Amino acid sequence: MRAGGVKGCLATLAGALFLFGCGQVVPPSQQVPPKPPIPPTAVEAGVAAGPPIASLKLTKEKAASALRSFVESCPVLLRRQDASGLTQAADWQPACDAAPSVSPDGAVGFFQTYFETVRVYDGAAYVTGYYEPEIAGVRQRQPGFDVPVYALPDDLVRRWSDDVPQSERVGRPPLARIDESGKVVPYYTRAEIEDGALANRGLEIAWVADPVEFFFLQIQGSGRIRTPDGAIIRIGYAGQNGWPYTGIGSVMRERGLFGTGPGQYPASMQGIMQYLREHPREGDALMRMNASWVFFRELTGDGPLGALGVPVRPQASVAADPKYVPLGAPVFLKTDRKEVNHLWIAQDTGGAIKGPNRLDSFWGAGDYAREIAGGMSARGEALVLVPVGTLAKLQAR
């Protein structure tokens, strides 16, 4: 969240599509009293000791993958301020000094030696999935490849509109543009961009074939474009147009389009894509209800970059809320989906990944990654691994 990470301002596939209210009116007799607000950081939300790492039954393979990602995270971890309040940068120094020389066979022992587990808030985890889409495209426009992939435009600025009083100008100004008269106005919407608002400005990184596939690539925030000759153009999140995200899954749910009856579709990424393809006119209108548009930059290296600025790795990296999990920290998951029940490293963020124990697992690229990320919805327990002695320091404050 992913704003220079894989997730950018967008968060998770399942979360971005479905974690929005359905607009239903609930009778007063059935209304549930609102829960008290969750404190804004891990320390304020409450931290308790978790079980010994030796009891987690870490596997050598998954521990080795987590070790690799931890090593890649250390340079940033050692200089990044921990927004969760759990640690200081210096706390990670012993583990980061030792990690590069640990062999894959020694990974389990490494985590047992240098870390202890804590539960943040109630420890109850909700885990979704994201992946790196691969879609067909070309560098230069040609027949059959008509959907532009735009770089960040130079007229996208942060400015307060003149009609916003000084007393209300709190935080960062919104994203906007300056029109021909010099007035600050909202940036172009998805519909305006699709209708050519940015055409002929030299912003095209590539052209892709399928608008539906590209819509979902924008939700993911990064992906691969495969050209007809087999070349790969890797693109990552560069920015967004400032308009709020609308989850089209929630709209479809409101319209009764999910289910097993006639004219209904599975409540999954695959089901939504099927609807969009079978109803192209209605599908185009539905996608345009999401006024948000994502701009990209071309990436080099062997993997998409997360919010830490290091590559996220399949089945090793998760997106988390940095107010509750230090970015770069290991996280152990135990849920009702065995695929995610192992050690991960928090290396990314996301717009829908908010609150304690809300996590988004990264599955890489390809058909398997697409299938599992599109249907991932796991509940269980999250344990954050912090340097040995962290809990004692917190309790001594």
Side-chain angles (χ1 to χ4, degrees):
M1 258 208 218
R2 97 308 160 190
V6 172
K7 308 300 295 172
C9 64
L10 306 176
T12 167
L13 192 56
L17 293 175
F18 300 115
L19 293 183
F20 293 84
C22 297
Q24 297 174 336
V25 178
V26 180
S29 62
Q30 300 178 22
Q31 292 179 2
V32 177
K35 295 182 178 180
I38 298 173
T41 68
V43 169
E44 294 168 284
V47 182
I53 294 178
S55 70
L56 303 183
K57 299 179 181 178
L58 303 183
T59 67
K60 183 170 68 175
E61 177 187 5
K62 295 301 185 182
S65 295
L67 174 63
R68 177 190 181 191
S69 290
F70 179 75
V71 169
E72 291 178 322
S73 297
C74 272
V76 184
L77 185 58
L78 291 174
R79 65 174 185 269
R80 182 183 180 90
Q81 183 175 358
D82 180 1
S84 75
L86 291 175
T87 66
Q88 301 293 323
D91 296 338
W92 299 91
Q93 192 74 57
C96 285
D97 286 346
S101 61
V102 177
S103 69
D105 289 341
V108 172
F110 166 77
F111 288 109
Q112 292 176 349
T113 300
Y114 287 94
F115 295 93
E116 62 189 16
T117 70
V118 295
R119 290 187 180 91
V120 175
Y121 195 51
D122 59 3
Y126 176 51
V127 186
T128 48
Y130 68 109
Y131 73 110
E132 187 182 20
E134 183 174 296
I135 64 177
V138 291
R139 287 280 189 185
Q140 303 295 326
R141 188 175 188 176
Q142 57 184 265
F145 298 91
D146 300 310
V147 182
V149 179
Y150 287 126
L152 193 69
D154 59 9
D155 62 342
L156 179 65
V157 296
R158 287 194 175 274
R159 295 285 190 280
W160 293 108
S161 175
D162 292 338
D163 58 2
V164 177
Q166 288 290 337
S167 60
E168 297 180 12
R169 300 186 180 189
V170 180
R172 289 199 302 172
L175 290 165
R177 65 183 178 89
I178 313 298
D179 70 7
E180 294 79 3
S181 68
K183 183 179 179 181
V184 177
V185 296
Y187 204 74
Y188 301 115
T189 64
R190 172 176 296 275
E192 290 171 324
I193 292 172
E194 289 181 348
D195 287 341
L198 299 180
N200 303 315
R201 290 177 49 179
L203 295 171
E204 297 86 357
I205 295 174
W207 298 82
V208 297
D210 189 334
V212 173
E213 293 280 2
F214 182 57
F215 180 85
F216 279 84
L217 191 151
Q218 287 189 302
I219 290 175
Q220 294 300 293
S222 70
R224 303 175 181 184
I225 299 171
R226 182 177 290 275
T227 66
D229 61 2
I232 294 293
I233 306 168
R234 175 172 271 138
I235 56 175
Y237 179 88
Q240 187 257 2
N241 63 346
W243 285 87
Y245 180 86
T246 297
I248 64 173
S250 64
V251 178
M252 290 181 63
R253 192 183 299 279
E254 291 173 2
R255 295 178 179 178
L257 292 171
F258 290 142
T260 57
Q264 292 185 313
Y265 295 81
S268 65
M269 178 192 72
Q270 291 82 2
I272 294 174
M273 295 183 83
Q274 182 183 354
Y275 171 82
L276 296 175
R277 297 191 192 287
E278 292 181 358
H279 303 83
R281 186 173 65 180
E282 295 89 343
D284 286 347
L286 181 63
M287 288 188 288
R288 285 187 169 206
M289 290 182 68
N290 174 29
S292 174
W293 181 277
V294 172
F295 301 105
F296 292 96
R297 60 191 177 100
E298 189 167 350
L299 301 177
T300 58
D302 62 350
L305 299 180
L308 273 182
V310 300
V312 291
R313 303 294 182 186
Q315 302 186 51
S317 302
V318 288
D321 187 336
K323 293 181 179 179
Y324 300 94
V325 178
L327 287 190
V331 180
F332 183 82
L333 296 176
K334 183 178 181 181
T335 74
D336 54 7
R337 288 288 299 268
K338 64 180 182 180
E339 301 96 329
V340 299
N341 291 346
H342 55 82
L343 194 60
W344 303 74
I345 304 297
Q347 295 178 305
D348 211 354
T349 60
I353 310 305
K354 299 299 181 185
N357 310 306
R358 176 69 178 94
L359 301 159
D360 200 22
S361 51
F362 179 63
W363 295 90
D367 293 341
Y368 174 75
R370 178 190 183 107
E371 179 181 355
I372 197 166
M376 178 55 62
S377 179
R379 294 189 182 275
E381 180 183 45
L383 297 169
V384 181
L385 274 64
V386 291
V388 169
T390 295
L391 193 59
K393 291 180 181 179
L394 293 174
Q395 292 171 341
R397 289 181 183 178

